[in-house]
Amino acid sequence: MRLDTGYFDLELCTGTAMGTGASKWGLRHFSAHYEGIDLLPSGNNAIGGFYGPFFTPENGLINPPEHSVVSIEAVEAGPVLHHYRLHGTIPDGLIDDLKGKSYAIDWIFTLGTPYFERRYVVDDFQTVINGRSITNKITVGDEFEGGPGELVFDRFASESGTWYRAGDPYAMKLADEVEEVIGTASGQQDRSQKFEEFRRQLGSGMESAHWDLYWRLFSAWERALPEDEITTRLAQVRRSAHVLADAPDRPWVLDTRPVDVSSVPDETIFTGPVQKSVEFSTTKDRAMIWWTGRPSGAFQIVQRKQSGWVNWGSNGENECPELPVGVPIKTAYGPFTQTWEGIADQLATPVTVTVGQ
């Protein structure tokens, strides 16, 4: 569904559940008229998906949510305000606590403004992810793409500076495990046809493979590997990643300046609690600003120059979700590189209505 707000030109998609990047639901194309640049030109990424704890390898479903579809309800489509509600059912994965759940996402756009708002409602759940108890917390993810060698955003900042740890041991151990599985597969007769398909795609080199293939190999939905092997291998990944993540040589850092994420190991940082944050470009005056009604306990920020992929996700390490369900997320996009903190304050300020005398 295409929507022109007078400021934004965007496409709200229902998804196809075919298990590829092009299957995603959410905002699949997004641009501002003043700039005329699509921040999601390929159609293989999206703004507004939610992932953990449901769409994670630990639950046997891949990240991002490429295995579900949504329906779109037009709650209001007036001359000033458009309000859409996405309804979806989460496929059952490996974790019993997360089976039989549904969700709804409200999106609100207003005429001519650089702002939009959303809110995620998910059936109550409590489970254990990454060895931690998780009650009604989710990962919301916004993706952007500039193409190989190009970053639409090349800095990250949060209010009062950013506490973070650099690198992504879990992702690297997951990649190592993929190589291990692929490397030991030669001559084995009991591998599935789906596994052989993935092995051919990954065999040309891990660096050139689409990251989604890593996740899909360990997806119970894909049936490339037996469920017991998925569980065993991912448990090994988590154990190793825990050790590396908490090693003494990986300290927390406080940076009062915007963080150059693409210059740190794995082009990834994991932040401490954040309520107001921004990703912006140092070469063009463009900034994406977020305010969440309550702080997320952590964020994963990726700015990967080789592929041009940028991510803002409300999760800690090992795919641990950290954003409370039901809180509003207000976002602004525009030429706000120098003024982003003031814009974030506006997002946090409730709208007031006065009646003229």
Side-chain angles (χ1 to χ4, degrees), residues 7-8 108-110 113-117 331-333 343 346-347:
Y7 185 91
F8 293 122
I108 297 175
F109 305 93
T110 48
T113 71
Y115 314 110
F116 59 96
E117 181 178 349
T331 309
Y333 177 71
I343 299 295
Q346 292 178 19
L347 296 176

Side-chain angles (χ1 to χ4, degrees), residues 302-315:
V302 184
Q303 294 174 355
R304 191 164 290 143
K305 193 167 186 178
Q306 183 175 359
S307 64
W309 185 70
V310 174
N311 180 69
W312 176 92
S314 63
N315 60 284

Side-chain angles (χ1 to χ4, degrees), residues 28-204:
R28 285 266 300 282
H29 292 283
F30 182 93
S31 65
H33 285 298
Y34 84 92
E35 189 176 44
I37 296 175
D38 190 347
L39 302 187
L40 296 159
S42 75
N44 287 323
N45 294 296
I47 297 171
F50 89 91
Y51 316 131
F54 301 94
F55 299 94
T56 62
E58 193 165 354
N59 191 36
L61 299 175
I62 67 169
N63 178 356
E66 297 163 353
H67 291 151
S68 70
V69 296
V70 297
S71 60
I72 301 177
E73 173 191 359
V75 178
E76 184 171 349
V80 176
L81 183 144
H82 278 230
H83 177 181
Y84 299 100
R85 183 169 295 146
L86 276 58
H87 300 271
T89 299
I90 300 166
D92 289 344
L94 300 178
I95 301 174
D96 288 338
D97 295 336
L98 300 179
K99 293 180 178 180
K101 304 298 182 181
S102 297
Y103 58 91
I105 308 168
D106 286 279
W107 292 85
I108 297 175
F109 305 93
T110 48
L111 178 67
T113 71
Y115 314 110
F116 59 96
E117 181 178 349
R118 62 195 129 142
R119 180 173 177 266
Y120 298 74
V121 177
V122 185
D123 292 341
D124 287 341
F125 63 88
Q126 183 174 63
T127 190
V128 174
I129 291 290
N130 188 27
R132 293 177 50 199
S133 176
I134 299 296
T135 302
N136 294 340
K137 288 184 178 181
I138 59 173
T139 298
V140 171
D142 291 350
E143 301 174 293
F144 312 95
E145 56 187 56
E150 298 291 334
L151 291 172
V152 292
F153 306 120
D154 58 19
R155 293 293 187 275
F156 172 83
S158 53
E159 57 182 334
S160 303
T162 303
W163 282 101
Y164 70 90
R165 292 199 298 191
D168 191 351
Y170 175 75
M172 296 306 103
K173 294 304 296 186
L174 184 64
D176 290 345
E177 196 69 19
V178 171
E179 287 195 292
E180 165 70 18
V181 176
I182 299 299
T184 58
S186 299
Q188 295 188 18
Q189 302 300 316
D190 58 347
R191 291 302 190 186
S192 67
Q193 183 176 350
K194 178 66 74 170
F195 176 87
E196 292 300 328
E197 176 186 330
F198 286 160
R199 186 165 71 90
R200 286 192 297 272
Q201 295 181 65
L202 291 164
S204 59

Side-chain angles (χ1 to χ4, degrees), residues 278-290:
V278 63
E279 292 197 64
F280 66 86
S281 170
T282 55
T283 60
K284 298 179 177 64
D285 188 11
R286 65 160 70 113
M288 189 75 71
I289 304 156
W290 294 268

Side-chain angles (χ1 to χ4, degrees), residues 301-346:
I301 307 299
V302 184
Q303 294 174 355
R304 191 164 290 143
K305 193 167 186 178
Q306 183 175 359
S307 64
W309 185 70
V310 174
N311 180 69
W312 176 92
S314 63
N315 60 284
E317 303 207 44
N318 293 23
E319 296 301 307
C320 191
E322 291 287 358
L323 181 70
V325 168
V327 303
I329 302 173
K330 296 181 180 180
T331 309
Y333 177 71
F336 308 133
T337 301
Q338 302 300 322
T339 59
W340 78 266
E341 291 179 284
I343 299 295
D345 290 340
Q346 292 178 19

